[in-house]
Amino acid sequence: MPVASQPLGRRERNKQQKLERITAAASELFAEHGVEDVTTQQIADKADIGTGTLFLYAKTKGELLLLVQNAHYAEALERGRADAEPIPEALDAVMAIVRPIVECNRVQVGNGRIYLREMVFGDPSEPHHGQALSIVVQTEEAIAAVLTKRHVVSDGDAVKLAHIVSAVMFLSMAATVNAGLSVEEIVQDIRAQVSLLISR
């Protein structure tokens, strides 16, 4: 007989509700103004909590951005995996994984670039940072699975090649010179580079 999950206690419910309010407030303010033009005090005020409480959930604006964006990037990866599944050609399947991630990153270009910076240079002991890195690992695993399934390379080489594709995607999205490019231009830039790797 399955064990019924225990309902959350009042304290846990309060913590969950605060986290949801913080996430919603930060998400709205970051989308409207950009991370750099929003203060932690504004987020705390909008979430109706004190700044001290806010810092229990995230110590910096960068961590708040990771908190907000991780769910969006995870959803983008899932969409990419689903889109890639029926595609027989390896390059097209890899790009089906890449496109939703680029689209997610470019919703607000400044925020997208800061998210990538936080992912690389953020505090590795911070849980939201760990979640962001986990999404990167899952993305590489999805790309490696595509390369293996389409018999492009062996399993070991697929992992290495997926890591390179991930680096290409990251640099194309993060590069200052690409800040003004559209989603389609970024995707085509990545595709041109990845095509050289996959068609070798």
Side-chain angles (χ1 to χ4, degrees):
M1 184 170 185
V3 177
S5 62
Q6 293 290 339
L8 291 176
R10 182 184 308 175
R11 186 171 182 205
E12 288 303 312
R13 278 197 315 271
N14 285 342
K15 284 173 67 174
Q16 185 61 39
Q17 288 168 355
K18 282 179 187 166
L19 179 60
E20 289 169 4
R21 290 201 318 265
I22 290 166
T23 304
S27 181
E28 185 178 327
L29 289 168
F30 289 163
E32 188 175 335
H33 304 289
V35 174
E36 293 181 338
D37 292 331
V38 174
T39 66
T40 52
Q41 183 64 57
Q42 288 172 308
I43 294 168
D45 289 346
K46 189 162 191 66
D48 196 26
I49 58 169
T51 52
T53 301
L54 176 67
F55 292 134
L56 294 175
Y57 291 86
K59 297 178 189 83
T60 66
K61 284 195 298 183
E63 290 177 14
L64 282 166
L65 181 64
L66 291 172
L67 168 67
V68 167
Q69 293 290 76
N70 282 342
H72 298 304
Y73 278 78
E75 289 167 11
L77 173 57
E78 285 313 305
R79 197 165 62 250
R81 275 186 174 142
D83 291 347
E85 189 59 36
I87 298 173
E89 208 277 318
L91 178 59
D92 291 339
V94 167
M95 294 312 299
I97 293 170
V98 167
R99 178 178 288 277
I101 295 170
V102 174
E103 290 170 349
C104 180
N105 179 263
R106 306 308 275 190
V107 168
Q108 215 282 2
V109 175
N111 290 354
R113 294 179 70 225
I114 293 170
Y115 177 82
L116 297 175
R117 184 182 72 206
E118 286 297 322
M119 192 188 301
V120 174
F121 299 110
D123 179 356
S125 67
E126 200 281 318
H128 307 306
H129 183 265
Q131 290 167 353
L133 293 179
S134 174
I135 294 166
V136 172
V137 169
Q138 292 170 44
T139 302
E140 291 181 10
E141 288 170 351
I143 293 169
V146 161
L147 297 173
T148 302
K149 182 178 178 182
R150 273 90 175 160
H151 308 290
V152 173
V153 289
S154 66
D155 289 0
D157 285 346
V159 170
K160 294 174 193 146
L161 188 52
H163 190 65
I164 295 168
V165 171
S166 178
V168 166
M169 179 174 63
F170 184 96
L171 288 173
S172 292
M173 292 188 299
T176 302
V177 70
N178 291 348
L181 298 184
S182 68
V183 167
E184 194 56 43
E185 289 168 324
I186 295 286
V187 167
Q188 289 309 315
D189 178 54
I190 295 168
R191 184 184 181 94
Q193 295 177 70
V194 171
S195 69
L196 295 176
L197 299 169
I198 290 180
S199 63
R200 59 194 175 111

